[in-house]
Each structure stands twice: as C-alpha cells, then as structure tokens.
Amino acid sequence: MARNRSPMFENRQAAGQRLGEALCERDIEVDVVLAIPRGGLPVGRPVADALDAPLDIVAAKKIGAPNNPEYAIGAVAADGSVWLNTDLIERREIPRDYVASTRAEMAEAARQKAQRYRESGSPPSLGGKRVCLVDDGVATGATARACIEQIRQADPERLVLAVPVGSPSAISDLEALVDEVVCLGVPSGFRAVGQYYEQFEQVSDEAAMSYLTDE
C-alpha cells in the first residue's frame, strides 16, 4: 500500500483517476466496482473505467451519537449489516434503545437510497466475484465497515478496498477486514478527508447517480 505523507487531489474525479492507475499498476483485476454514495461515485467511475468493470453502489448510513449525529458510533448498510463501536457506546453510556431505534432508522434510509440509485434495477450478484469497494476517503471507517460486512455476506472471491486517503487508525483496522487495501495516502496528521482535496464540495444525489451511466 502506498503511503504518501501529504496527498492532495484536485477533486474526486482526479483522485479516482490516480486510484485507478494505482490499481492497474498492481495488476488488480475485479469483476465489479462498488462505490459508496454519494462522494464515492465520482471516484468510483474512473476506477471502474480503468479496471474495465461495471460500477454499482453499496449504501450505508452512519449511526450518530445522541445530540451529535455527525459523530459516528457505528454504521448500517442497506441490508441491515451493521458495525457498532461498542467500546465507545459503553464508554459514553449510550442507551441501547437509542442505538436500536437509530440503527433501524438508518438501515431504512440506506435501503431507500440504494433503491433510488438503482431505480428498478437489482443489486449485482457478488458470490464468487472479485469486488473493489471505493470511497473518497475514510476517517473513522464506520461506513466502510458496514459496507464490507454487507459485501462479505454475499461471499465474494476477493474484496479490495480502494480509497485516495485515509486516517492511519482506520486504514490499519480495515486492512484486517478485506483481502487488500489500496490507499494513496495515509498521512500522520490526518484530520478530515476534505483537507486533502482542493475541491471537496457536497455531491448531490442527482450528480452522484449520473456516474452510474457508462456515457
């Protein structure tokens, strides 16, 4: 895994191009690329093009802490696959009923997002397939963990996680959950994914869905 100290990308598409080149240099071949909406799709399209593989999505939603929804205590994928930071939940004494109700709410939100992105299409069959999971970066890794759990339940032959940048702790943890991690930068001073992009605007659902076409 490449570990540039201070990666900087012009935008998500440029990061995806560099990521696709890195995957090709490692002779990684996949049957499908799965991007995490929304920010993962502008990265995933050039990766899928470089690997000559179809692009699809795997959706998950963060489970936020009480009164601080941006602070992830876990994440849940569209099929209900969940990862919870149990140490954090216990340390903060977060009520179980809050975790359960928020998990159910976020699972439904993830399911609806996956359905909306695919319109009437079905999710790809992943059994025995070589899968590449892509996002625009990982901070806590919570969303990636839930997506990895969903993909693993489909019994793929191989699962590669590919991201432009990630925090050292998250990347280290995720390496144990997949067959290979390709990350262009794991800077020691990591604070947030957006600090490594010159342009890191929010991606709308409409813009993100446009990357699922081959045009």
Side-chain angles (χ1 to χ4, degrees):
M1 176 175 56
R3 289 179 180 267
N4 299 335
R5 305 317 299 170
S6 298
M8 177 59 76
F9 310 102
E10 178 184 355
N11 53 37
R12 291 180 178 89
Q13 294 93 325
Q17 290 169 0
R18 286 174 57 183
L19 194 56
E21 291 169 0
L23 289 159
C24 290
E25 288 172 1
R26 289 165 174 75
D27 294 323
I28 291 175
E29 297 181 353
V30 302
D31 299 302
V32 63
V33 173
L34 298 180
I36 302 175
R38 295 172 297 210
L41 277 160
V43 181
R45 169 45 61 194
V47 168
D49 291 345
L51 298 178
D52 194 24
L55 177 65
D56 208 290
I57 60 104
V58 56
K61 300 287 282 185
K62 286 188 298 186
I63 300 172
N67 303 316
N68 189 0
E70 291 304 310
Y71 189 79
I73 61 172
V76 60
D79 72 336
S81 299
V82 67
W83 172 76
L84 296 173
N85 188 333
T86 53
D87 290 342
L88 178 62
I89 291 169
E90 291 175 2
R91 189 165 64 248
R92 295 203 165 202
E93 299 182 343
I94 297 173
R96 291 184 179 180
D97 58 349
Y98 170 85
V99 175
S101 62
T102 308
R103 171 183 173 175
E105 178 186 350
M106 293 298 102
E108 177 61 18
R111 187 192 66 78
Q112 291 180 5
K113 172 168 280 193
Q115 187 177 48
R116 182 166 68 253
Y117 270 64
R118 291 200 181 94
E119 295 180 339
S120 60
S122 301
S125 174
L126 303 179
K129 299 292 182 62
R130 299 165 298 177
V131 180
C132 180
L133 175 63
V134 176
D135 204 357
D136 55 12
V138 290
T140 65
T143 302
R145 283 174 177 265
C147 291
I148 288 168
E149 179 63 24
Q150 175 173 334
I151 295 167
R152 282 296 189 199
Q153 291 192 26
D155 197 24
E157 176 187 320
R158 181 173 173 79
L159 175 56
V160 176
L161 173 67
V163 292
V165 65
S167 71
S169 60
I171 292 297
S172 178
D173 290 343
L174 292 168
E175 284 178 322
L177 304 179
V178 298
D179 297 296
E180 186 172 353
V181 172
V182 177
C183 183
L184 302 182
V186 189
S188 58
F190 184 97
R191 295 189 305 276
V193 171
Q195 77 184 103
Y196 299 101
Y197 286 84
E198 295 175 11
Q199 301 172 29
F200 197 68
E201 69 282 353
Q202 289 290 325
V203 180
S204 68
D205 282 324
E206 291 74 17
M209 284 187 282
S210 71
Y211 290 99
L212 289 170
T213 67
D214 292 323
E215 299 176 357

